[in-house]
Amino acid sequence: MVDPLPTTPADDGFRMPAEWEPHARTWMLWPTRPDVWREGAGPAQAAYAQVAGAIARFEPVTLGVLPGHLDQARTLLPPGVEAIPLEYNDAWIRDMGPTFLVNDQGELRGVHWRFNAWGGHYADWSADEEVGRRVLELAGAPRYRADLVMEGGALHVDGEGTLLVVEECLLHPSRNPHLSKAEIEARLRAFLGVETVIWLPWGVAGDETNGHVDNLCCFVEPGRVALTWTDDVTDPQHERSAAAEALLAQARDARGRRLEVVRIHQPGPMHITAEEAATIQPMPGSRPRQAGDRLAASYINHYLVNGGVIAPLFDDPRDEEALALLAQLYPGREVVGVPGREILLGGGNVHCITQQQPRGRGETVTD
Ligand code: KQY
């Protein structure tokens, strides 16, 4: 095992690039946990395979699979998706994976965060804790080890020095109870190379991550963000999104710009049915969703790939307007909708199950 670098990315001139900057590849993991995924994870595997196939049209996909599941995964994965053996507990590489960084010379490094399964929701997470280190080794990227419990889904950057986060999540006592808000912010600046951190108060209603920003709000370009929204003032999401919008209206980014906010109306509200919940196998130490629980459904949980946008769809009347809005927000990119409900049942969506590796110096990838 190679020791982590003794410095921080900010010391060394590294920063987290925006998701729209060119990728070398997308990393994913293969879902198997029966205490998270219904029906022994079969329907989730079909959904992940569809997402991997959609991404593979735009850029290489490397998918980590538990060694005992490799043969089965390969029969379900579309051609063009590389499956490799990897140890992990659950399949949310946005969160247990590394955050990749680049410098102005296009060198690649990454942050290996501490991980505790969203405040201890799903034991065991000991193998997940090592995914960040292992993926960086496989990518050949030197590693910074951050002394901070953090998940990639809790972070969105504009690549120009601004970071969006949610207080409800980052200040939740199950993550870093020994650190103040200022201390958490200082570590984020140091490990992501950002100058301005915009703290939104709450995440999406029903989100078991305590409010990851990647369900609530994302940059679509510097100076412009998309925010999940509902016009229904009786829906608990209304107050949450309205509070975020009010805060964003006052905010300035790292370059001193005001932010334009674009609302994307949420689907639903959606809930897990009794039939769906009945086929999740309870296990000691796991707290999966129960029948009737609200699901954190949001079109904000889309993922940008080279030349494309992979967006979750929910078989909902709002799907069409969300697709049209995303096409408008990302001109020049092809928007591809994929079925999102099965992944949502596990607690997240397309953005949560993917992790971009930026294109480093001298790397060429066909867009
Ligand atoms: O929002 C995400 N980035 C991940 C969701 C994880 C849910 C765990 N069951």
Side-chain angles (χ1 to χ4, degrees):
M1 188 188 307
V2 182
D3 283 344
L5 296 157
T7 49
T8 70
D11 291 336
D12 301 340
F14 280 78
R15 66 175 177 99
M16 178 183 176
E19 199 168 300
W20 54 76
E21 293 180 46
H23 299 178
R25 70 183 57 255
T26 291
W27 290 85
M28 294 179 71
L29 299 169
W30 188 242
T32 60
R33 280 185 76 138
D35 58 334
V36 172
W37 302 104
R38 73 183 181 120
E39 293 179 24
Q45 291 172 352
Y48 272 57
Q50 200 165 345
V51 172
I55 297 171
R57 285 186 45 218
F58 298 92
E59 63 190 48
V61 179
T62 301
L63 188 141
V65 185
L66 291 172
H69 290 255
L70 260 176
D71 290 343
Q72 179 245 3
R74 287 195 176 119
T75 63
L76 293 173
L77 287 167
V81 176
E82 177 196 28
I84 59 160
L86 203 72
E87 294 294 340
Y88 56 92
N89 302 106
D90 200 7
W92 307 94
I93 200 162
R94 176 67 51 193
D95 292 347
M96 62 273 292
T99 299
F100 284 98
L101 311 163
V102 291
N103 66 4
D104 289 346
Q105 288 69 51
E107 290 169 310
L108 188 71
R109 293 186 180 177
V111 189
H112 176 198
W113 307 100
R114 298 205 179 278
F115 179 76
N116 74 357
W118 312 279
H121 258 276
Y122 295 94
D124 165 19
W125 60 84
S126 55
D128 284 339
E129 245 279 310
E130 293 302 310
V131 170
R133 180 181 59 76
R134 187 69 191 119
V135 167
L136 290 173
E137 277 171 9
L138 290 165
R143 172 176 70 112
Y144 295 98
R145 179 58 157 158
D147 190 13
L148 186 69
V149 173
M150 187 54 57
E151 299 109 40
L155 313 166
H156 258 307
V157 294
D158 66 357
E160 297 189 355
T162 319
L163 169 68
L164 284 174
V165 295
V166 171
E167 290 191 3
E168 183 187 10
C169 177
L170 269 61
L171 305 186
H172 195 275
S174 64
R175 301 290 203 292
N176 297 288
H178 58 296
L179 296 179
S180 66
K181 180 175 173 180
E183 288 168 329
I184 292 172
E185 179 164 326
R187 281 169 170 75
L188 292 172
R189 288 165 186 266
F191 283 96
L192 297 173
V194 295
E195 293 125 47
T196 299
V197 183
I198 299 176
W199 291 81
L200 304 175
W202 298 306
V204 165
D207 192 333
E208 68 182 3
T209 66
N210 312 111
H212 272 182
V213 77
D214 73 348
N215 252 343
L216 178 78
C217 185
C218 64
F219 285 104
V220 296
E221 62 178 306
R224 203 175 199 204
V225 299
L227 173 69
T228 195
W229 184 259
T230 176
D231 294 329
D232 180 358
V233 295
T234 68
D235 186 302
Q237 188 55 42
H238 183 82
E239 189 188 2
R240 289 167 170 263
S241 292
E245 193 175 56
L247 201 133
L248 288 162
Q250 301 302 317
R252 299 234 180 210
D253 69 12
R255 301 275 173 104
R257 287 176 289 238
R258 289 207 180 278
L259 297 171
E260 183 195 343
V261 181
V262 179
R263 298 172 175 177
I264 302 190
H265 204 287
Q266 69 179 12
M270 297 172 67
H271 301 85
I272 183 167
T273 66
E275 293 73 33
E276 288 166 338
T279 61
I280 299 173
Q281 291 170 27
M283 294 232 264
S286 285
R287 288 180 280 138
R289 284 143 306 288
Q290 306 293 312
D293 281 355
R294 182 171 172 135
L295 298 167
S298 166
Y299 300 106
I300 298 299
N301 213 292
H302 57 271
Y303 176 57
L304 303 184
V305 290
N306 295 335
V309 181
I310 313 298
L313 299 179
F314 302 96
D315 207 9
D316 185 274
R318 296 282 180 184
D319 283 356
E320 285 309 312
E321 74 187 44
L323 283 176
L325 198 43
L326 289 171
Q328 234 177 288
L329 290 173
Y330 297 110
R333 288 176 187 265
E334 182 186 346
V335 182
V336 179
V338 290
R341 184 172 178 93
E342 220 38 71
I343 307 171
L344 179 64
L345 290 174
N349 229 302
V350 175
H351 194 257
C352 310
I353 67 169
T354 51
Q355 183 65 251
Q356 68 278 7
Q357 175 182 329
R359 201 178 294 175
R361 180 181 46 196
E363 283 181 289
T364 50
V365 173
T366 314
D367 288 346

